[in-house]
Amino acid sequence: MELLGGLILIFGFIGLAKLFGLIERNIKVIEISKSAVSVVGDQNLDDYQKEKALQKYSKELLGLFFFIAVTSILAIGIPLGLVWLMDYLELLSFNKVIDMITSIEFIFASVVISLIVIFVNRKRK
């Protein structure tokens, strides 16, 4: 049952992260940050134009920060809550699930499986 709990944690987080678009939003943070840095170094803009552009980027980044923070907590909290509920119902042990997913064997297997999935997805594209 601990393996089931571990899979709920891993796939629950991945599924919710995809559902909430966390990767795309983190990429957007990087893009906005690069744009803000380019504005600072743009000699064609005066200080007022730079300030306006940076304020706009700051608002976008602040909104993304709150969205990413809240949805990350949900993406982690919902699967953890489900496993905790299963522990409460005595279907499995929460501590044993945590011990299992932090074991070197589980981490190694997860990395290998992830690399295989990434490789297969890249081959398709």
Side-chain angles (χ1 to χ4, degrees):
M1 281 305 275
E2 281 73 28
L3 179 60
L4 175 63
L7 294 175
I8 288 171
L9 289 176
I10 300 298
F11 289 114
F13 173 75
I14 292 170
L16 290 170
K18 281 186 154 263
L19 178 71
F20 296 141
L22 286 173
I23 294 172
E24 292 81 11
R25 288 196 168 76
N26 279 291
I27 291 170
K28 187 165 175 110
V29 166
I30 294 168
E31 292 169 354
I32 293 170
S33 299
K34 286 180 181 178
S35 296
V37 168
S38 70
V39 165
V40 171
D42 191 346
Q43 295 178 0
N44 296 324
L45 300 175
D46 62 27
D47 287 345
Y48 179 76
Q49 292 170 318
K50 288 180 183 180
E51 181 180 343
K52 282 297 184 187
L54 291 175
Q55 285 177 357
K56 176 182 161 252
Y57 291 140
S58 296
K59 289 176 187 175
E60 288 180 48
L61 288 172
L62 186 61
L64 284 168
F65 166 75
F66 284 116
F67 181 86
I68 290 168
V70 169
T71 55
S72 294
I73 290 168
L74 289 173
I76 293 168
I78 291 171
L80 274 174
L82 184 57
V83 172
W84 177 84
L85 178 64
M86 292 173 76
D87 179 53
Y88 181 77
L89 297 173
E90 297 182 358
L91 299 173
L92 52 73
S93 167
F94 184 84
N95 289 334
K96 286 184 180 178
V97 170
I98 299 301
D99 289 343
M100 186 199 60
I101 66 169
T102 56
S103 70
I104 191 71
E105 296 87 3
F106 189 85
I107 293 170
F108 181 75
S110 298
V111 167
V112 169
I113 291 169
S114 298
L115 291 173
I116 290 169
V117 169
I118 290 169
F119 181 75
V120 168
N121 283 338
R122 286 193 178 175
K123 279 275 193 185
R124 284 188 207 162
K125 292 180 182 180

